[in-house]
Amino acid sequence: MFETGIVKKSGDLKKDHETLYTEWQGRLYRTRNFQNDEFIITLSESKRGAHHIDLEKHIMRGYQLHLVFPGQRSHFSILDYTFTYQLKISKINFEKVCTALRFSQHLYRVYPVQDLTQSEFETLLYELRNIGNELHMDRPLLEIICSRARITLQEISRILEKRISDINLFRIPSVLFEFLQLVKLHYNKEHNVTFYAKKLNVSPDYLAILTRNHLNVTPTKVIKDEILAESKRLLSLVPITIKAVMYQLGFEDQAVFTHFFKSLTGMSPTEFQKSTITF
């Protein structure tokens, strides 16, 4: 996004863990206006500028937090020397960590830019830099990146809770929270939405309404993302066979597991496993 000025980058959106951390400082008139495929957290320290998100213009001043969700258009117009610290998370990785947001995603879209105290700014910057440091490692660990990202999202939720008077309107319903917890407990054995709906004593359609309204995904997508994240972790372990991974994740047919994995990643489990091996 920032083509001129002083830039430091860690990670890559096209490979590894599809996460990019960038530190930038400088002055520019305008970045490219494009539709994002990623979830973007930007911390800025600026005297003069603007961040345009979809059709709204947000004035940049002092310490600020900026959030852009997949599918939104955005660009910066920076008129004075500015420091920015930005984390881009691919859509598929964001869906793995978005459950750390304590409120409906609608809230964060309604209030995408927040003024921060210096202390709040430094707290968030500490987490972003830790992610950047992990991405800079020879073999960055997805578990650490996701853990840090979840902490960052929880800190962002805490900041918004202090500022939004009608925050209770945006709280995630307890049924949805229980669903997310059940998925973490049973994803390696239960892949069907019906199982979770019965456990929660609700219909699959109602569960779909909750996940769509609050997470912008289907219940099936929540389950698949949990399985995919664990399958990637297991496949990165050496030595381990594809069959061992398949059985641990509740698949009985290797062809079914291969189709599942390739449909979500574009790679077969074998190809993914080979790509994680370094010499």
Side-chain angles (χ1 to χ4, degrees):
M1 182 175 283
F2 301 101
E3 292 86 4
T4 60
I6 302 171
V7 182
K8 172 187 173 184
K9 293 185 178 181
S10 301
D12 194 331
L13 284 169
K14 297 179 181 177
K15 59 180 183 178
D16 297 326
H17 298 297
E18 299 178 314
T19 305
L20 177 67
Y21 174 70
T22 305
E23 293 190 1
W24 177 88
Q25 54 181 292
R27 179 190 292 112
L28 52 81
Y29 288 105
R30 187 182 176 94
T31 60
R32 288 188 302 116
N33 183 12
F34 63 94
Q35 183 168 310
N36 298 286
D37 293 324
E38 307 88 30
F39 176 68
I40 305 174
I41 301 171
T42 304
L43 298 177
S44 65
E45 183 182 352
S46 179
K47 291 182 179 178
R48 192 161 58 115
H51 186 190
H52 302 260
I53 303 174
D54 289 335
L55 300 177
E56 291 203 31
K57 177 181 178 180
H58 303 272
I59 301 301
M60 297 177 68
R61 57 176 183 269
Y63 297 112
Q64 286 185 322
L65 164 69
H66 307 250
L67 301 178
V68 176
F69 285 78
Q72 292 189 298
R73 301 185 68 87
S74 71
H75 69 274
F76 287 89
S77 300
I78 297 175
L79 305 176
D80 208 334
Y81 205 81
T82 295
F83 295 84
T84 69
Y85 310 88
Q86 188 175 84
L87 182 69
K88 287 188 176 183
I89 305 174
S90 68
K91 185 176 180 181
I92 189 169
N93 277 350
F94 173 61
E95 288 169 355
K96 296 171 190 172
V97 301
C98 68
T99 54
L101 293 171
R102 292 172 51 204
F103 310 105
S104 165
Q105 287 187 24
H106 180 64
L107 170 69
Y108 305 89
R109 290 172 180 265
V110 171
Y111 302 98
V113 177
Q114 289 291 319
D115 293 331
L116 302 175
T117 65
Q118 184 174 350
S119 175
E120 290 169 336
F121 182 88
E122 290 173 352
T123 296
L124 292 175
L125 180 56
Y126 173 78
E127 298 300 339
L128 294 192
R129 279 183 163 164
N130 274 320
I131 294 173
N133 291 338
E134 182 63 28
L135 288 166
H136 195 66
M137 303 286 282
D138 289 337
R139 296 191 66 181
L141 296 177
L142 180 61
E143 294 93 334
I144 293 177
I145 294 167
C146 287
S147 177
R148 287 289 184 188
R150 289 189 181 97
I151 291 171
T152 303
L153 295 180
Q154 288 168 349
E155 289 291 350
I156 289 171
S157 297
R158 177 158 33 198
I159 289 168
L160 262 68
E161 188 171 25
K162 294 177 184 176
R163 290 162 170 73
I164 311 304
S165 58
D166 55 351
I167 198 77
N168 286 328
L169 297 177
F170 299 96
R171 289 190 184 278
I172 292 178
S174 59
V175 171
L176 179 55
F177 181 79
E178 288 178 41
F179 168 61
L180 299 174
Q181 298 306 306
L182 283 172
V183 170
K184 291 184 182 299
L185 288 173
H186 300 289
Y187 70 90
N188 60 337
K189 294 180 181 177
E190 302 293 342
H191 301 172
N192 196 300
V193 174
T194 303
F195 166 83
Y196 298 96
K198 285 183 177 178
K199 279 276 188 181
L200 296 166
N201 198 29
V202 299
S203 71
D205 287 343
Y206 179 68
L207 198 54
I209 290 170
L210 289 179
T211 58
R212 185 172 63 249
N213 288 348
H214 294 275
L215 305 177
N216 202 31
V217 295
T218 65
T220 300
K221 190 74 167 65
V222 173
I223 300 165
K224 283 184 175 181
D225 285 344
E226 199 69 37
I227 298 169
L228 181 62
E230 180 63 7
S231 64
K232 284 183 173 182
R233 188 189 73 81
L234 291 171
L235 289 168
S236 299
L237 302 176
V238 179
I240 192 169
T241 65
I242 305 299
K243 279 192 174 181
V245 173
M246 175 189 81
Y247 288 130
Q248 285 193 51
L249 295 172
F251 292 89
E252 296 182 357
D253 187 314
Q254 188 165 334
V256 173
F257 174 62
T258 298
H259 175 74
F260 164 83
F261 191 89
K262 192 167 185 177
S263 68
L264 295 177
T265 66
M267 304 170 67
S268 70
T270 302
E271 290 169 336
F272 177 83
Q273 194 172 48
K274 287 180 179 178
S275 74
T276 64
I277 298 173
T278 57
F279 298 94

